[in-house]
Amino acid sequence: QDDKDATKKEKEKVDMTNAHNQKNTISLSKPLKAALLSSDIPYCEYPLKKGDLSMNGATPWYCTIAIGTPAQPLKFMIDTGTKNTWVTSSTCATDACLVHTGFDKQKSSSLTPADKPPNKVDFGPWGEMEVDYVHDISHLDLESEKRLDQRPLTELCTQEILIMLATNYSGEQFKNLLADGGMAIPSEFDEKATALPHALKNGGITKFEVCSFYTDPVMGTGVCRMGALDINRFDENTVQWIETKPNSDFSYLWCVELDEFTCNGSVVDIGTGKGFNLALDTGSSFFKGSNDVITKITNAIEGSGLQRLSRVLHSKEDLHKYPTLELNIAGTNYELTPEQYFFKVGNRWELGFQVMNGLPPDMLLAGSIFLDTVYCAFIREEEGVVLLAQPKSTSQSFNIGGTNWINSYDSKLYIGPIAEDGTFSGNYSSTTGATGDYPVVGVADPSPIGDTQTISFSVSWKSRVGRYDPSWHDVSSFTGLVKLNQTGKPCLKLNHLFQQSIQKSVTGYTATALSTGGDFTFVSRSK
């Protein structure tokens, strides 16, 4: 009887979970889903770069977007955690402003004043910002130009926006900001500030109001695509379309319901499963919440009593002592390891949870510490929807064995099949510098588990064909990673150690050289 009762209770639990998940996931119309998952709809793409994390809690990710005519390239964070689109003005003279590049409105022929008086804008714990409202043109930095059709992207993705020129702000939080401004991606339309995806759709440049993110914290690069999803960067079998839950106090935030937050398999009692909001904020780095919410989570992580762990570490080796965290969103568990929820500052590692005054007790805000582990998209079509999926890792989508590569000098590299123990042989050929056909031997991770594949190989500069040149006594070693670049194409990022033999004309000091930039782009897979 006990077994029957247990089975019945388990079935009831499953039924309740399924019903709850049904409420928190949303079924967009089939035509819209099909269109969003198509690979041939127009989009604008903004390459992302990662800087150092700061204790101000802002995202380390930024992109270059140019404003004005002629274009003034500026660094922007693309921010789903605000409704304010702003940029530092060149007229701002505070210490916090002067460390950033300011937009000079006097140099832009396309700028027009907005029919709005100057204003003071509240940035919460960071303080106030004095702003002027202007209209001007935004477009990609010229360095980011590429062709989607017959037009350059700088023309295709040029759009007038309403932007706040920050004429005065101060404080260490703003001073330590990596970006010169922020592009708002709010969950609701706000006529007071431009959301770039809305402006691009409204201007007929894109078809859908979508902003999607792929970030690679290991390589420090990523992509924000507006107008479309990038189906080459996530596993479609893991896609969740999740209904947003607007918060009355923060209606511009992209909130989804957080069903459970667990630490080492045990639920942390922060009120989840009762309409508790998880706000997905691309403008933040840490998890943030009220003092009560953050205290409960950090206490669960650190433990108690004599064995209580520290939230600041001075050795990475100590991370293994910490538990695994899981966020259950619409029935799917998203796991965070200590390596992911701690972050490095200088020579120490700190816990990525921060108290933020003013947040309601039923909200946890998640920044890049969580968002770097998923592919995410923010969609305002039919309904407000967040898409979460597992990003495609190199190990899932690409294997380095049996592949051909080329670098910027047109040197060609062939990597043979990877044996079970990781060893391989191959070939390197060059027609510049050392000219010839050279043997390659190396090792690579035969079973990569992350989003990179490690590789190391050596080249003997004794050519297999033709006459030997004077460098045939020398050898090189290359070590690095295979990754997907910003266009989704595999690339090898390598460090190069070059060793000459020591002779009268070559001293021991000059015989060894170490360099970076030995990057190769994937060409084809050998049959």
Side-chain angles (χ1 to χ4, degrees), residues 36 40 67 94 163 167 178 243 274-275 292 353 402 449 458 487:
L36 290 172
D40 59 357
I67 304 293
T94 67
I163 194 165
T167 57
L178 291 171
E243 181 181 6
K274 307 169 186 175
D292 182 60
F353 290 81
I449 57 174
S458 294
T487 64

Side-chain angles (χ1 to χ4, degrees), residues 59-82:
T59 179
W61 294 98
Y62 65 89
C63 69
T64 299
I65 298 177
I67 304 293
T69 306
Q72 299 180 41
L74 299 156
K75 294 178 181 177
F76 284 88
M77 52 184 175
I78 301 181
D79 191 353
T80 62
T82 185

Side-chain angles (χ1 to χ4, degrees), residues 305-382:
L306 296 177
Q307 299 301 314
R308 187 175 180 86
L309 298 169
S310 172
R311 66 181 60 188
V312 179
L313 305 178
H314 296 282
S315 172
K316 189 177 181 180
E317 300 300 319
D318 291 332
L319 288 174
H320 76 277
K321 300 176 183 178
Y322 288 76
T324 297
L325 307 179
E326 284 189 344
L327 285 72
N328 188 285
I329 304 169
T332 295
N333 285 325
Y334 294 88
E335 184 179 281
L336 287 172
T337 64
E339 289 79 7
Q340 292 169 323
Y341 65 77
F342 273 84
F343 66 97
K344 189 177 181 182
V345 179
N347 294 320
R348 68 184 190 277
W349 284 260
E350 297 208 12
L351 197 58
F353 290 81
Q354 189 178 67
V355 172
M356 184 173 178
N357 295 325
L359 287 182
D362 59 350
M363 178 183 290
L364 179 66
L365 188 146
S368 62
I369 284 178
F370 171 69
L371 295 174
D372 282 351
T373 69
V374 297
Y375 180 92
C376 59
F378 303 85
I379 304 165
R380 207 163 64 179
E381 294 286 339
E382 297 181 352

Side-chain angles (χ1 to χ4, degrees), residues 242-303:
I242 307 170
E243 181 181 6
T244 56
K245 302 284 185 180
N247 182 280
S248 57
D249 296 322
F250 298 90
S251 57
Y252 56 87
L253 290 177
W254 295 82
C255 294
V256 297
E257 190 165 341
L258 181 62
D259 299 332
E260 279 187 346
F261 188 104
T262 63
C263 176
N264 211 24
S266 299
V267 176
V268 182
D269 184 18
I270 57 174
T272 54
K274 307 169 186 175
F276 192 96
N277 285 315
L278 180 70
L280 303 176
D281 181 5
T282 61
S284 290
S285 54
F286 307 145
F287 282 98
K288 301 175 185 178
S290 66
N291 182 68
D292 182 60
V293 168
I294 298 301
T295 298
K296 287 179 178 179
I297 292 174
T298 53
N299 283 345
I301 293 171
E302 296 169 11

